[in-house]
Every structure is written in structure tokens, then in C-alpha cells.
């Protein structure tokens, strides 16, 4: 398999690499939200069906109350007109609102986990690329005798980058032990949104619902970042291009 040494020639300090891992994780967090919302929007749109409608009334345009609800039976004739609805619509302050169908709990779970897997792939790719480039460049310098090679550099950078997220976990642990600061659950979920499906599976009903064993399981969300960094850096050190590796194996 041929290898082009110009690929990934990146001079980067350890601190800059750590910051890059952190920034790319934050970017992945935003993209995770976009991915989940996009897939949810598409699935909801495909499965959209109007179940009925309701009439809302507001005297001031801000506070609404439901005054009439109609659910379709499927037996309405083509020329059917809801006279009661027309009575409301002829008056000021009344608004019609469609009642859509809702995705089932199992469907929402499937959407959540599919989004989660895609988000993890995106996150992993972002961390992998920067660490591969640095590992590749470091290996070249070492082979030319310009500098010693620290094979743990990717791991160290990943561990430094994960510190802010580890802090939110430690705060959550303290809150659980002291049974205070219940807002720390939201803090933890926001900072570790890259693992949203996993977090939601464990944290179902706030801090009180989390057992000690489940709390320990939540520490797993801290592992992907350093794992991605280690994998990317080690592949770069070996000058192994993952895409070519996969294609070469498939051809063989």
C-alpha cells in the first residue's frame, strides 16, 4: 500500500492538540443536537397524520385555554362541515390547532439511538483526524532523528481535553452523595450531549432516580474522547490511512 508523506504533516504542540480535541468535542456536541433534531424532524414528517383539531381561546393573545376538541373518526363524508367549529371561528379570540400523531416510545428510542450512533461516528472522525495528522508528523520527525516519539501523546491530549467533562461528572457525584444541587443533572447532560441516548437511558427521572451503580456507569461517557485520540494518534504514528486499509481489505 502506497503512502504519501505529505499527508498530515502537522506541527502542533501538545497544548494545541489538547485544545483542538476539546474544541472538536464541543463542535461534535452541537452537531449531535443537529443530527438528532434533523432525524426526528424527518421521521416525524414521514409519519405525520392529523388526528383531529382543537379550538383554543385567548382573551389577551397570550394565555390560551382549550374550549373544543374534535378527533377524526375516519367516517366523515367528503362534504362534511363541523358546524360547531365554524361557530367558534366566527368569533374573535378563537384559534384552531391541529392535533398531530405522536411517535411511539419505541420509535423515539430508535430515533435516539440511531442519532446517537451517527453522532459518535462524527465525533470520532473529528478527533481521529487531528490526532492522526499529529501522530503522522511526529513519526516522520522521529524517523528523521529530529525528535523522540511519545507514543502516549494522543492519550495524554485526550485526557487533558476530557477534564471539563469529567468535572461535570464529579459535580454530579457530589450532588448525588449530598442529595443537593439537582440542577447538576442538566449541567452533566448538556456538557456530555455527545452521549445523549446513553445518558437519557440511565437518567430517567432526575437525580433521585439514579442509583450508585448507574452513577458509575455514567462515567463511561468520559471514555470515547481519549479512546478516539489514542486510536487516531497510533494510526498516524504507523502511517496507516484507515480509508485505504478498509478499501484494500475489501478488494482482497
Amino acid at each position: 500500500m502506497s503512502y504519501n508523506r505529505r499527508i498530515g504533516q502537522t506541527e502542533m504542540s501538545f497544548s494545541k492538540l489538547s485544545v483542538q480535541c476539546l474544541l472538536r468535542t464541543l463542535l461534535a456536541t452541537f452537531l449531535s443536537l443537529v443530527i438528532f433534531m434533523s432525524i426526528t424532524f424527518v421521521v416525524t414528517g414521514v409519519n405525520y397524520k392529523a388526528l383531529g383539531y382543537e379550538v383554543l381561546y385567548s382573551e389577551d393573545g397570550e394565555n390560551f385555554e382549550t374550549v373544543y376538541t374534535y378527533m377524526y373518526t375516519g367516517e366523515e363524508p367528503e362534504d362534511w362541515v363541523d358546524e360547531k367549529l365554524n361557530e367558534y371561528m366566527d368569533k374573535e379570540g378563537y384559534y384552531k390547532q391541529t392535533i398531530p400523531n405522536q411517535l411511539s416510545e419505541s420509535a423515539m428510542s430508535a430515533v435516539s439511538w440511531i442519532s446517537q450512533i451517527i453522532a459518535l461516528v462524527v465525533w470520532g472522525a473529528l478527533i481521529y483526524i487531528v490526532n492522526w495528522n499529529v501522530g503522522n508528523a511526529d513519526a516522520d520527525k522521529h524517523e528523521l532523528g529530529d525528535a523522540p516519539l511519545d507514543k502516549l501523546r494522543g492519550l495524554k491530549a485526550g485526557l487533558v481535553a476530557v477534564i471539563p467533562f469529567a468535572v461535570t461528572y464529579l459535580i454530579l457525584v457530589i450532588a448525588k452523595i449530598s442529595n443537593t444541587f439537582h440542577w447538576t443533572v442538566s449541567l452533566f447532560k448538556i456538557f456530555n450531549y455527545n452521549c445523549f441516548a446513553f445518558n437519557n437511558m440511565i437518567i430517567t427521572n432526575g437525580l433521585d432516580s439514579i442509583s450508585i451503580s448507574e452513577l458509575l456507569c455514567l462515567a463511561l461517557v468520559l471514555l470515547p474522547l481519549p479512546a478516539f485520540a489514542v486510536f487516531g494518534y497510533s494510526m498516524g504514528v504507523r502511517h496507516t490511512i484507515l480509508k485505504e486499509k478498509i478499501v484494500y481489505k475489501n478488494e482482497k
Side-chain angles (χ1 to χ4, degrees):
M1 180 173 59
S2 63
Y3 169 71
N4 187 347
R5 294 234 170 205
R6 291 177 297 174
I7 298 176
Q9 293 299 312
T10 305
E11 294 289 340
M12 188 178 295
S13 66
F14 174 76
S15 59
K16 187 175 181 180
L17 176 59
S18 301
V19 171
Q20 278 292 313
C21 289
L22 173 61
L23 293 178
R24 286 167 181 253
T25 296
L26 294 177
L27 173 60
T29 301
F30 171 73
L31 294 177
S32 296
L33 176 61
V34 172
I35 291 169
F36 176 67
M37 292 181 65
S38 299
I39 294 179
T40 302
F41 177 79
V42 171
V43 173
T44 301
V46 170
N47 292 277
Y48 176 81
K49 180 181 179 182
L51 300 180
Y53 51 81
E54 58 185 359
V55 175
L56 306 178
Y57 173 73
S58 174
E59 186 175 350
D60 54 10
E62 296 181 359
N63 301 304
F64 293 85
E65 62 175 320
T66 302
V67 295
Y68 175 63
T69 301
Y70 182 87
M71 304 300 291
Y72 295 124
T73 63
E75 298 178 358
E76 294 85 1
E78 293 185 5
D79 57 350
W80 174 77
V81 176
D82 188 345
E83 298 294 345
K84 191 170 184 178
L85 171 63
N86 290 337
E87 291 178 8
Y88 284 113
M89 293 296 96
D90 291 338
K91 301 176 184 177
E92 187 177 352
Y94 291 89
Y95 306 89
K96 178 185 176 183
Q97 177 174 279
T98 301
I99 302 175
N101 61 320
Q102 300 292 328
L103 292 178
S104 66
E105 187 175 337
S106 59
M108 279 304 302
S109 178
V111 168
S112 180
W113 280 103
I114 291 172
S115 303
Q116 173 75 94
I117 293 171
I118 296 174
L120 284 174
V121 171
V122 172
W123 182 21
L126 290 172
I127 302 301
Y128 175 89
I129 290 171
V130 67
N131 279 275
W132 189 96
N133 287 339
V134 174
N136 178 53
D138 287 354
D140 278 351
K141 290 173 64 177
H142 175 67
E143 291 165 8
L144 293 173
D146 295 338
L149 180 64
D150 181 4
K151 293 185 177 181
L152 296 179
R153 192 179 184 197
L155 174 61
K156 294 174 182 177
L159 291 176
V160 171
V162 85
I163 288 176
F165 310 99
V167 168
T168 64
Y169 175 72
L170 291 176
I171 293 175
L172 183 66
V173 171
I174 294 172
K176 176 61 179 178
I177 295 174
S178 62
N179 195 29
T180 56
F181 308 117
H182 288 241
W183 52 268
T184 57
V185 172
S186 297
L187 178 69
F188 175 80
K189 282 189 171 184
I190 291 172
F191 268 77
N192 298 279
Y193 194 77
N194 288 323
C195 299
F196 61 90
F198 177 74
N199 293 336
N200 291 336
M201 179 181 70
I202 295 179
I203 307 174
T204 57
N205 193 26
L207 188 63
D208 294 334
S209 66
I210 308 174
S211 66
I212 298 301
S213 60
E214 290 173 333
L215 189 63
L216 294 175
C217 286
L218 286 173
L220 293 175
V221 303
L222 304 177
L223 297 182
L225 175 51
F228 293 147
V230 168
F231 181 57
Y233 189 81
S234 63
M235 293 289 280
V237 166
R238 293 197 295 268
H239 303 309
T240 301
I241 301 176
L242 188 59
K243 181 180 178 180
E244 291 187 2
K245 196 78 171 177
I246 296 174
V247 172
Y248 177 76
K249 284 187 175 181
N250 288 341
E251 289 180 350
K252 195 172 181 180

